[in-house]
Amino acid sequence: MAKIAILGFGTVGSGIAEVLDLNQEDIRRRTGQPAELKYILVRREFPGSPYCDRMVQDFSVIENDPEVKVVAECIGGCGAALDLTTRALKAGKHVVTANKALVASHGLELLNLAREHNCNFLFEASVGGGIPVLRPLTFCLCGNRIEEVCGIINGTTNYILTKMIREGLTFDEVLRDAQDRGYAEADPSADVDGVDTCRKLCILSALAFGQHVYPEKIFTQGIRDVSAEDVAGAEALGRKIKLLGRALRRADGKLTLYVSPHLVASNSPLFSVEDVFNAVQIRGNAVGDVMFYGRGAGKLPTASAAVGDIVDCLLHDEARREIEWEEAKPEETGDFSSLPLRWYVRTDRPFNGTESVDGQPGAYVTAPLPFAQLDALRQGGLKMMSAIPLLD
Amino acid sequence: MAKIAILGFGTVGSGIAEVLDLNQEDIRRRTGQPAELKYILVRREFPGSPYCDRMVQDFSVIENDPEVKVVAECIGGCGAALDLTTRALKAGKHVVTANKALVASHGLELLNLAREHNCNFLFEASVGGGIPVLRPLTFCLCGNRIEEVCGIINGTTNYILTKMIREGLTFDEVLRDAQDRGYAEADPSADVDGVDTCRKLCILSALAFGQHVYPEKIFTQGIRDVSAEDVAGAEALGRKIKLLGRALRRADGKLTLYVSPHLVASNSPLFSVEDVFNAVQIRGNAVGDVMFYGRGAGKLPTASAAVGDIVDCLLHDEARREIEWEEAKPEETGDFSSLPLRWYVRTDRPFNGTESVDGQPGAYVTAPLPFAQLDALRQGGLKMMSAIPLLD
């Protein structure tokens, strides 16, 4: 009987232990065998924990135990997490993780390592928390040529924007409230500056297009500069501001990724995604638009996705789950700054092809215009208080 | 190299042939081999079709060809489709289908037959067209105890209701328009009376709860009786009328399925699902609510789902995809008529616990009340022009 080890006992690790316990009967119905948790790797003792008898502080116990078939990496970051994931795969164990930083920066090498050792490296929980999105994208939509992936994939920023829109508050006011409620970290930059969205976008895009673009190469604009005037301007256009990660194949076949707030129209299914909810929209040439929606974070939703991966490994201990991608070739990727978009701008004078926004003095929508050209105007002295693209 | 046969060359069959051609490079990237279409079973000749060289009129050619590993059943109904699916599985071939009538009425026996012959019987395309929902439900959410499945799973009725709401038209007016546009059949009863929703609900529920309830045992109410007054009443409550299929596990553990129009509140993600779009909401005890959204019908979306299943069979020719369910036990299922719901009613006098709907004379919302009790009131002489449950 295959056994499981969890590395780390924070939110995700303890959530996985809890879900394995809570739903053991349902899991047994799917796998035909119990999914037994044998070890939890911890750095300190947890006296009184119901799992204390299974806690170990030395990874080599797990590494050298042939009964352990699946390792759930719940350490986070790219230090010990990378080291132990590498060792687990080399020891022939399947690894599942919710660690988007690890997958975004090292997914390609870890997938290659998994293949060499005939193991699975699965990471459904790394994007969209509990929402099934990576597996449907990889398997269910494999009869499609994917044209675009676009998502609200950070709950903290969506919560902040929703509250700014509903209550007419400023970014700083809502951020403080979100920090008080525990929805935002003391250092909120990974969320509000779009870094977290960018990492998840890398993963989505690699699965959708088979090409891994690294986070540091992606144009990333967060929500710090979104003002109450922008919120009002969006409303005057019947739109809402949402932070989106977008990966699209352009007409010339080139792949372009970027992260930015957007003005989303009311007929888009992303328009009604509010609060901490996440949603990923995928456009395939056969299926058209599909969207996956749910809670993008939280202990049990994230654990739900990781346990789905664990069960997949138990069911496919022999057959590898083929996830393959390669490093994106520079000649096949397009620069964000050349992508034509319509922009909502606030400026001191209209320019070529802009249209006024009703009732919002100084607010305009441009004709389709690449960021490079907009930036040149700004460099050339045009005063621009805001510039946010429209999702069309 | 594994080869494919399509049975039937109507909308779905020709769509699958088209998608296999159109996206052969993407499919090859996923499977490492081309997915080659060897036969199309037809009843008449299609002179001039680019597929003429592959058309056969005798199923035994396909049945006896060991190169054919996957058969896509696209005949429809439960006559020849059941016969040929049975023969294909007995011949050791995987079968994929979009035929919800076949799966709802014979899924249990066909899954058992597939297991006996070490084959897969897959039917992602039978619910929600191209939207990945069955596979995520079965595999990604397998770490959850599913509490409820609830969906808008018939595009024709959602189109009719959307148009009634937006344009203030009557059911009969919109039905004629939908028939003119080809969105509704000349005989619309399978759609508007909820039969199609009921079949899809059986399939969703069997996957979610592992128990197969047959369509004829399910309380099914369609949208024929929804009036302009009901639409206005829903609007006065900030709600919209949607035809839903619901399967839920009640507090006593009993499984209850039913199909009915509902008044859906604006904070539900189902509220903004408009026109021919479909959406399925699933509640798991770990993941909370997730929703899958997209086009629930159409040639290429349906083909997209079927091709996803075909690729799954090619990738797992040896390893069976475990989908298992059993016949629902009467002692584990609950009767719809005993399920307490709040109802929107139009009646000539208020009764115990009803609240008036603002600005809608004669319209009320009841306290939670089982259908049986409501029906007893009606039988007892209470005049009731409408009774539609609220989705709470």
Side-chain angles (χ1 to χ4, degrees):
Chain A
M1 193 182 54
K3 297 195 176 166
I4 298 157
I6 296 173
L7 314 184
F9 199 60
T11 305
V12 179
S14 61
I16 293 175
E18 188 177 332
V19 169
L20 287 172
D21 259 1
L22 182 67
N23 294 330
Q24 51 182 301
E25 274 315 304
D26 297 79
I27 295 167
R28 190 200 296 255
R29 176 165 76 84
R30 290 286 310 127
T31 60
Q33 53 176 313
E36 197 187 312
L37 178 59
K38 187 162 183 182
Y39 301 112
I40 299 172
L41 182 74
V42 292
R43 277 192 304 193
R44 60 177 181 88
E45 289 180 11
F46 287 76
S49 159
Y51 300 102
C52 331
D53 57 324
R54 283 168 269 186
M55 289 182 176
V56 295
Q57 299 193 15
D58 176 4
F59 179 68
S60 63
V61 175
I62 295 167
E63 192 175 26
N64 297 321
D65 186 336
E67 277 196 330
V68 174
K69 297 287 186 195
V70 187
V71 170
E73 183 280 303
C74 306
I75 299 167
C78 294
L82 177 59
D83 177 37
L84 300 188
T85 297
T86 304
R87 283 170 62 185
L89 291 171
K90 284 185 175 167
K93 300 179 193 310
H94 308 299
V95 177
V96 312
T97 185
N99 184 337
K100 57 237 167 194
L102 182 71
V103 184
S105 294
H106 301 278
L108 182 56
E109 66 189 82
L110 291 170
L111 281 170
N112 287 338
L113 191 64
R115 188 181 324 103
E116 274 171 41
H117 294 274
N118 200 33
C119 296
N120 294 321
F121 177 59
L122 299 177
F123 38 85
E124 180 67 71
S126 67
V127 178
I131 311 170
V133 47
L134 303 187
R135 190 172 281 100
L137 177 58
T138 319
F139 297 103
C140 306
L141 298 177
C142 60
N144 286 266
R145 184 166 175 85
I146 304 295
E147 296 167 349
E148 178 169 344
V149 178
C150 177
I152 297 170
I153 43 184
N154 179 275
T156 304
T157 46
N158 204 45
Y159 173 83
I160 292 174
L161 290 170
T162 301
K163 226 157 146 89
M164 287 175 70
I165 294 166
R166 280 200 197 137
E167 301 179 17
L169 301 171
T170 66
F171 171 79
D172 291 320
E173 287 164 336
V174 182
L175 176 60
R176 270 195 301 276
D177 165 80
Q179 285 169 325
D180 290 345
R181 289 167 185 262
Y183 287 172
E185 311 271 336
D187 174 3
S189 60
D191 290 318
V192 303
D193 295 327
V195 178
D196 178 76
T197 296
C198 178
R199 287 177 180 145
K200 292 169 177 167
L201 178 65
C202 293
I203 300 171
L204 279 171
S205 171
L207 287 172
F209 301 102
Q211 304 206 348
H212 193 147
V213 179
Y214 287 87
E216 52 276 18
K217 297 200 173 162
I218 296 173
F219 175 92
T220 300
Q221 172 80 42
I223 65 163
R224 265 184 215 275
D225 298 334
V226 174
S227 68
E229 287 85 353
D230 299 334
V231 169
E235 198 179 347
L237 290 165
R239 293 176 176 248
K240 277 187 201 158
I241 301 181
K242 302 279 178 195
L243 180 66
L244 303 181
R246 269 185 98 190
L248 59 159
R249 207 191 286 276
R250 290 156 73 172
D252 61 5
K254 289 191 175 175
L255 180 62
T256 299
L257 281 71
Y258 72 102
V259 174
S260 169
H262 285 75
L263 272 64
V264 176
S266 65
N267 63 359
S268 163
L270 296 172
F271 181 82
S272 7
V273 177
E274 305 276 39
D275 297 314
V276 297
F277 282 87
N278 279 202
V280 177
Q281 191 173 6
I282 298 168
R283 181 172 301 151
N285 69 343
V287 76
D289 281 322
V290 293
M291 188 180 81
F292 304 92
Y293 168 94
R295 282 185 187 277
K299 181 176 179 173
L300 294 186
T302 306
S304 160
V307 170
D309 280 351
I310 290 172
V311 171
D312 199 349
C313 291
L314 294 176
L315 285 174
H316 295 89
D317 188 24
E318 303 299 317
R320 284 199 57 244
R321 309 296 284 137
E322 295 292 340
I323 298 175
E324 314 247 329
W325 65 54
E326 56 189 22
E327 192 156 352
K329 297 180 190 74
E331 69 275 18
E332 290 177 5
T333 52
D335 190 23
F336 166 68
S337 65
S338 65
L339 178 73
L341 293 166
R342 293 199 299 152
W343 298 81
Y344 161 88
V345 293
R346 286 191 305 117
T347 173
D348 55 355
R349 59 175 195 274
F351 49 95
N352 216 0
T354 55
E355 288 181 21
S356 301
V357 178
D358 284 350
Q360 305 290 317
Y364 304 91
V365 172
T366 72
L369 193 72
F371 176 75
Q373 217 169 311
L374 196 73
D375 207 42
L377 286 166
R378 180 158 30 192
Q379 307 266 340
L382 185 71
K383 201 170 162 191
M384 218 176 286
M385 282 75 79
S386 296
I388 307 177
L390 275 62
L391 181 69
D392 281 320
Chain B
M1 193 183 54
K3 297 194 177 167
I4 298 157
I6 296 173
L7 314 185
F9 199 60
T11 306
V12 179
S14 61
I16 293 174
E18 189 178 331
V19 169
L20 286 172
D21 259 2
L22 182 68
N23 295 330
Q24 52 183 299
E25 274 316 304
D26 297 78
I27 295 167
R28 192 198 297 254
R29 175 165 76 82
R30 289 284 312 126
T31 59
Q33 52 177 312
E36 198 187 310
L37 178 60
K38 188 163 181 183
Y39 301 111
I40 299 172
L41 182 73
V42 290
R43 276 193 303 194
R44 60 177 181 88
E45 289 181 10
F46 287 76
S49 158
Y51 301 101
C52 278
D53 57 325
R54 282 169 270 184
M55 288 182 178
V56 295
Q57 299 193 13
D58 176 4
F59 179 69
S60 63
V61 175
I62 295 167
E63 191 175 26
N64 297 321
D65 186 335
E67 277 196 330
V68 174
K69 298 285 187 197
V70 187
V71 170
E73 182 281 302
C74 307
I75 299 166
C78 294
L82 176 60
D83 177 38
L84 300 188
T85 297
T86 304
R87 284 171 60 184
L89 291 171
K90 284 186 173 166
K93 300 178 193 312
H94 307 300
V95 176
V96 312
T97 185
N99 184 337
K100 57 238 169 194
L102 183 71
V103 184
S105 294
H106 301 278
L108 182 57
E109 66 190 80
L110 292 170
L111 282 169
N112 287 338
L113 192 63
R115 186 180 327 105
E116 274 171 41
H117 294 273
N118 200 32
C119 297
N120 295 321
F121 176 60
L122 300 177
F123 38 85
E124 181 67 71
S126 66
V127 178
I131 312 168
V133 47
L134 302 187
R135 190 172 280 100
L137 177 58
T138 318
F139 297 104
C140 306
L141 299 177
C142 59
N144 286 266
R145 182 166 175 85
I146 304 296
E147 296 168 348
E148 178 169 341
V149 177
C150 178
I152 296 169
I153 44 184
N154 178 276
T156 304
T157 46
N158 204 45
Y159 173 83
I160 292 174
L161 290 170
T162 301
K163 231 165 142 82
M164 287 175 70
I165 295 166
R166 279 201 197 135
E167 302 179 17
L169 301 171
T170 65
F171 171 79
D172 290 321
E173 286 165 337
V174 182
L175 176 61
R176 271 195 300 278
D177 165 82
Q179 285 170 325
D180 290 345
R181 288 166 187 262
Y183 287 170
E185 311 271 338
D187 174 3
S189 61
D191 291 319
V192 303
D193 294 327
V195 179
D196 178 78
T197 295
C198 177
R199 287 177 180 146
K200 292 168 178 168
L201 178 65
C202 292
I203 300 171
L204 279 170
S205 171
L207 288 171
F209 301 101
Q211 304 207 347
H212 194 146
V213 179
Y214 288 87
E216 53 276 17
K217 297 200 174 162
I218 297 173
F219 175 93
T220 301
Q221 172 80 42
I223 65 163
R224 266 184 215 274
D225 298 334
V226 174
S227 67
E229 287 84 354
D230 299 333
V231 168
E235 198 178 348
L237 291 165
R239 294 177 175 246
K240 277 187 201 158
I241 300 181
K242 303 279 180 195
L243 181 66
L244 304 181
R246 271 185 98 190
L248 60 159
R249 207 190 287 275
R250 289 156 73 171
D252 60 5
K254 289 192 175 174
L255 180 61
T256 299
L257 282 72
Y258 72 102
V259 174
S260 170
H262 285 74
L263 271 64
V264 176
S266 65
N267 62 359
S268 162
L270 295 172
F271 181 82
S272 7
V273 177
E274 304 275 40
D275 297 314
V276 296
F277 282 88
N278 279 201
V280 176
Q281 191 174 5
I282 298 167
R283 181 172 303 151
N285 69 343
V287 76
D289 280 322
V290 294
M291 189 182 79
F292 304 92
Y293 169 94
R295 281 185 187 278
K299 181 176 180 172
L300 294 186
T302 305
S304 160
V307 170
D309 279 350
I310 290 171
V311 170
D312 199 348
C313 291
L314 294 175
L315 285 174
H316 296 88
D317 189 22
E318 303 300 316
R320 284 199 58 244
R321 310 296 283 136
E322 295 293 338
I323 298 176
E324 314 247 329
W325 65 54
E326 56 190 20
E327 191 155 353
K329 296 180 192 74
E331 68 275 17
E332 290 177 7
T333 52
D335 190 24
F336 165 69
S337 65
S338 65
L339 179 73
L341 293 165
R342 291 200 300 152
W343 298 81
Y344 161 87
V345 292
R346 287 192 303 117
T347 172
D348 55 356
R349 59 174 195 272
F351 50 94
N352 215 3
T354 55
E355 288 181 21
S356 300
V357 178
D358 283 350
Q360 305 290 318
Y364 304 90
V365 173
T366 71
L369 193 70
F371 177 73
Q373 216 169 314
L374 195 73
D375 208 41
L377 286 166
R378 181 160 28 195
Q379 307 265 341
L382 185 70
K383 202 171 163 191
M384 218 177 285
M385 282 76 79
S386 297
I388 308 176
L390 275 63
L391 181 69
D392 281 319

